[in-house]
Amino acid sequence: MVDVVKFSGEKEKFNPNKILKTLKRAGASREQSRRILKDVESSLKDGITTKEILDRVFSGLRETPGIAAKYDLKRALMALGPGGYTFEKYFAEVLKHYGYEVKINQLIKGKRIMQEVDVVAKKDSTYMVECKYYNYPGNYASTKEAMYTYARFLDTNSRMHNFDFPWLATNTKCSWSAIEYSKGVGLKITSWKYPAKESLQRLVEAKKLYPVTVLKTASKFVKQRLLDSGIIMINTLMEMDISELRRKANLSESELKKAILEARQISV
Amino acid sequence: MVDVVKFSGEKEKFNPNKILKTLKRAGASREQSRRILKDVESSLKDGITTKEILDRVFSGLRETPGIAAKYDLKRALMALGPGGYTFEKYFAEVLKHYGYEVKINQLIKGKRIMQEVDVVAKKDSTYMVECKYYNYPGNYASTKEAMYTYARFLDTNSRMHNFDFPWLATNTKCSWSAIEYSKGVGLKITSWKYPAKESLQRLVEAKKLYPVTVLKTASKFVKQRLLDSGIIMINTLMEMDISELRRKANLSESELKKAILEARQISV
């Protein structure tokens, strides 16, 4: 089996099932998936990069932009940057769709110092959410992030602001020992793949809460305009009145219509 | 008054007293100091960088390498990198000279996960020391580092390993709010300037515990060889038998003698 070089620089054996699984998840037909896999396998060589494989897959998904967008969710989340602020807003939006009351960027007087809390989320319990955003692949949230989040939680937890649990949310992976640690101190973690049933990927896919950065037909410029004007989810794009959209994002009607069309294909 | 651009990019008004104070501290005579300051002032222009000023000061200290070395302690500490490991060893050595029993790089089973503790230091109390090293100027240890250190302390503190206090040691500055936070949780901090009477600068200068990177006449190569062979302090350089030094560092006698000579000038 061929060695594939991951974004992190690590190598792993090529695994056809990974591609098939993701294609299936994105909604590709069996036949389309098989055809794409065959094409990828014909180009395999030792030391091939994940990016080369991804590019190959995408060229096979050209005619089905909706599927291509969903396949690429991980990269779309990394395009919410460069700073972490948009990811915070995005994650807060995701939580809202799951019934949380959310407030972002709260300045809270901790026991010792002022703390800027990324998201305050309330449902049955109240959570102090710390978002850790990475805008390039190969990264992961480490125990350092987990411990830091826990220590912030301890400091913010005063009589005035009673958080029940700390929560670390990240768009990438989480180290194994960060997870171990989190279990001991009651820290909730949401990372790309963890916890399996409520991972960020799952939360997004289950309710189709895709960020506008999944759009394939829109230019970078259009996507950035949307993000800058606070239109972060494709849902918002579909729900909003087009004249309001035009005013808010300062984009042409044709650009917006194209984006909305693709958003609809993705949401099917 | 002229604006000086600091390493961090911030500006501050040129302050002649800062230079005079540092020169005095390094042992320059009043006359030498005044001459150097005059030279610096003749070259001042708005937007001059700290580095340009430093270079000017050093050219005025050419004939007194011992003083030049001491003037440049901050940069010498930043040359212990690129990784943080040498700084950990160095800080442990400093603590030893202050009567601490030290152990470096201890793998300790925390309550939840394995923790790699940079330095375990014991005197009246037992400290879990976390070292935060920066190898370029303009940086500082933030509340994040302080909180992370505290959270590690909480996790390592089990019945088996009883640490009395956490301790954050850094070669640069510490943010004001990190210091505020530290007071509340009983975290000891040692940074470049803080606490005033027991800052890293003070600890080093009071007992002349200079790292070999202060040497001005030795090449980068020689200094790296010394560091790599575990000779981190100029004290060690002066105490060790020359034949042992040669064997350990694999350097020529003439290179070593030159280094020892300068070390003696610095230690006067």
Side-chain angles (χ1 to χ4, degrees):
Chain A
M1 263 289 134
V2 179
D3 271 335
V4 178
V5 179
K6 301 204 287 182
F7 285 108
S8 61
E10 285 170 88
K11 284 179 185 177
E12 71 177 10
K13 295 281 165 226
F14 175 72
N15 181 356
N17 290 323
K18 249 182 153 171
I19 294 177
L20 289 175
K21 215 172 126 189
T22 317
L23 281 167
K24 192 180 167 194
R25 186 180 266 230
S29 69
R30 254 181 84 182
E31 205 215 336
Q32 190 181 22
S33 300
R34 234 185 281 157
R35 186 165 40 75
I36 291 171
L37 183 61
K38 221 170 151 187
D39 177 51
V40 169
E41 286 181 329
S42 77
S43 74
L44 283 180
K45 55 177 191 285
D46 236 6
I48 192 168
T49 63
T50 304
K51 180 165 184 325
E52 286 171 284
I53 293 178
L54 267 176
D55 288 343
R56 207 91 191 176
V57 172
F58 283 117
S59 74
L61 288 170
R62 249 186 315 239
E63 325 88 73
T64 47
I67 294 169
K70 282 183 264 183
Y71 188 92
D72 207 22
L73 176 58
K74 200 171 181 181
R75 276 209 268 192
L77 289 174
M78 273 179 198
L80 288 174
Y85 183 58
T86 314
F87 177 68
E88 288 162 34
K89 286 203 279 187
Y90 173 70
F91 189 66
E93 285 285 313
V94 170
L95 292 182
K96 250 198 236 169
H97 281 85
Y98 280 91
Y100 287 86
E101 252 179 73
V102 292
K103 280 184 203 158
I104 58 171
N105 274 290
Q106 298 294 298
L107 211 61
I108 285 177
K109 206 174 167 312
K111 283 196 204 99
R112 283 101 194 183
I113 52 171
M114 287 302 281
Q115 301 271 5
E116 224 184 291
V117 174
D118 294 340
V119 185
V120 174
K122 228 178 256 191
K123 200 154 91 173
D124 310 314
S125 306
T126 308
Y127 297 88
M128 184 214 82
V129 187
E130 171 76 13
C131 291
K132 185 68 199 166
Y133 173 74
Y134 295 98
N135 64 355
Y136 50 99
N139 256 304
Y140 61 91
S142 65
T143 46
K144 188 166 187 169
E145 310 306 330
M147 289 190 198
Y148 165 63
T149 305
Y150 180 61
R152 289 192 74 165
F153 164 73
L154 292 181
D155 191 52
T156 49
N157 235 359
S158 62
R159 240 168 288 165
M160 281 175 66
H161 303 277
N162 233 328
F163 292 117
D164 299 307
F165 299 101
W167 187 342
L168 173 63
T170 180
N171 62 321
T172 53
K173 275 176 274 188
C174 220
S175 77
W176 179 85
S177 74
I179 292 169
E180 273 310 291
Y181 175 79
S182 73
K183 289 178 189 163
V185 297
L187 166 72
K188 192 170 163 68
I189 288 184
T190 299
S191 76
W192 173 246
K193 282 274 187 205
Y194 176 88
K197 285 183 186 165
E198 289 183 308
S199 66
L200 183 59
Q201 186 180 21
R202 267 288 179 100
L203 294 177
V204 174
E205 287 178 350
K207 300 204 176 197
K208 300 181 197 293
L209 306 171
Y210 295 101
V212 293
T213 43
V214 294
L215 298 172
K216 287 277 166 205
T217 58
S219 67
K220 260 192 181 174
F221 172 80
V222 168
K223 290 187 260 190
Q224 198 54 52
R225 266 283 164 80
L226 291 170
L227 290 178
D228 290 347
S229 49
I231 299 151
I232 298 171
M233 300 258 206
I234 61 166
N235 310 51
T236 320
L237 199 59
M238 292 181 296
E239 288 156 12
M240 248 189 190
D241 189 67
I242 190 125
S243 62
E244 201 191 335
L245 269 176
R246 276 183 65 183
R247 208 180 45 244
K248 255 197 128 170
N250 196 16
L251 287 164
S252 74
E253 195 163 323
S254 70
E255 282 169 320
L256 284 167
K257 279 191 169 162
K258 204 170 72 173
I260 294 169
L261 185 70
E262 195 188 341
R264 288 209 184 107
Q265 289 178 302
I266 294 168
S267 301
V268 170
Chain B
M1 259 292 136
V2 179
D3 271 336
V4 179
V5 179
K6 301 205 288 183
F7 286 107
S8 62
E10 287 170 87
K11 284 179 184 179
E12 71 177 8
K13 295 282 166 221
F14 175 71
N15 180 355
N17 290 324
K18 247 182 154 173
I19 294 178
L20 289 175
K21 214 172 126 190
T22 317
L23 280 168
K24 190 181 167 192
R25 187 182 262 230
S29 69
R30 256 180 85 182
E31 205 216 336
Q32 192 183 20
S33 299
R34 235 183 282 156
R35 185 165 43 73
I36 290 171
L37 183 60
K38 221 170 150 185
D39 177 53
V40 169
E41 285 180 329
S42 78
S43 73
L44 284 179
K45 55 177 190 287
D46 237 6
I48 193 168
T49 63
T50 303
K51 180 163 185 328
E52 287 171 283
I53 293 178
L54 267 177
D55 288 343
R56 207 90 192 177
V57 171
F58 283 117
S59 74
L61 289 170
R62 248 187 315 242
E63 325 90 73
T64 48
I67 294 168
K70 281 182 266 184
Y71 189 92
D72 206 21
L73 176 58
K74 200 170 180 181
R75 275 210 269 194
L77 289 174
M78 273 179 197
L80 288 172
Y85 183 57
T86 313
F87 177 69
E88 289 162 34
K89 286 203 280 187
Y90 173 71
F91 189 67
E93 284 286 311
V94 170
L95 292 182
K96 248 198 236 172
H97 281 86
Y98 281 91
Y100 287 85
E101 254 178 72
V102 293
K103 280 184 204 158
I104 58 171
N105 274 289
Q106 298 294 297
L107 211 61
I108 285 177
K109 204 174 168 312
K111 283 195 204 101
R112 283 102 193 182
I113 52 171
M114 288 301 283
Q115 302 270 7
E116 224 184 291
V117 174
D118 294 339
V119 184
V120 174
K122 227 178 254 191
K123 202 152 92 172
D124 310 317
S125 306
T126 308
Y127 297 88
M128 185 214 80
V129 188
E130 173 75 12
C131 292
K132 185 67 198 165
Y133 173 75
Y134 295 99
N135 65 355
Y136 50 98
N139 256 304
Y140 61 91
S142 65
T143 45
K144 187 166 189 170
E145 310 305 330
M147 289 191 197
Y148 165 62
T149 304
Y150 180 60
R152 290 193 71 164
F153 165 73
L154 292 181
D155 191 53
T156 48
N157 234 1
S158 63
R159 238 169 287 163
M160 279 176 66
H161 303 277
N162 233 327
F163 292 116
D164 299 307
F165 300 102
W167 187 344
L168 173 61
T170 180
N171 63 320
T172 53
K173 276 176 273 187
C174 220
S175 77
W176 178 84
S177 74
I179 290 170
E180 273 310 292
Y181 175 79
S182 73
K183 288 177 189 163
V185 296
L187 166 72
K188 192 171 162 71
I189 288 185
T190 300
S191 76
W192 172 246
K193 283 274 187 204
Y194 175 89
K197 286 182 185 165
E198 286 183 312
S199 67
L200 184 59
Q201 186 181 21
R202 266 291 179 96
L203 293 177
V204 174
E205 288 179 349
K207 298 203 178 197
K208 300 181 198 291
L209 304 172
Y210 294 102
V212 294
T213 42
V214 294
L215 298 173
K216 286 277 166 204
T217 58
S219 67
K220 260 194 180 173
F221 172 80
V222 167
K223 290 188 260 190
Q224 199 53 53
R225 266 283 164 80
L226 290 170
L227 291 178
D228 290 346
S229 49
I231 300 152
I232 296 169
M233 300 259 206
I234 60 166
N235 311 52
T236 320
L237 199 61
M238 291 183 294
E239 287 156 12
M240 246 191 194
D241 189 69
I242 190 128
S243 62
E244 202 190 331
L245 270 177
R246 277 183 64 182
R247 208 181 45 244
K248 256 195 128 169
N250 196 16
L251 287 165
S252 75
E253 195 163 326
S254 71
E255 283 169 320
L256 285 167
K257 279 190 169 163
K258 203 170 73 174
I260 294 170
L261 184 71
E262 194 189 340
R264 288 208 184 107
Q265 289 178 303
I266 295 168
S267 302
V268 169

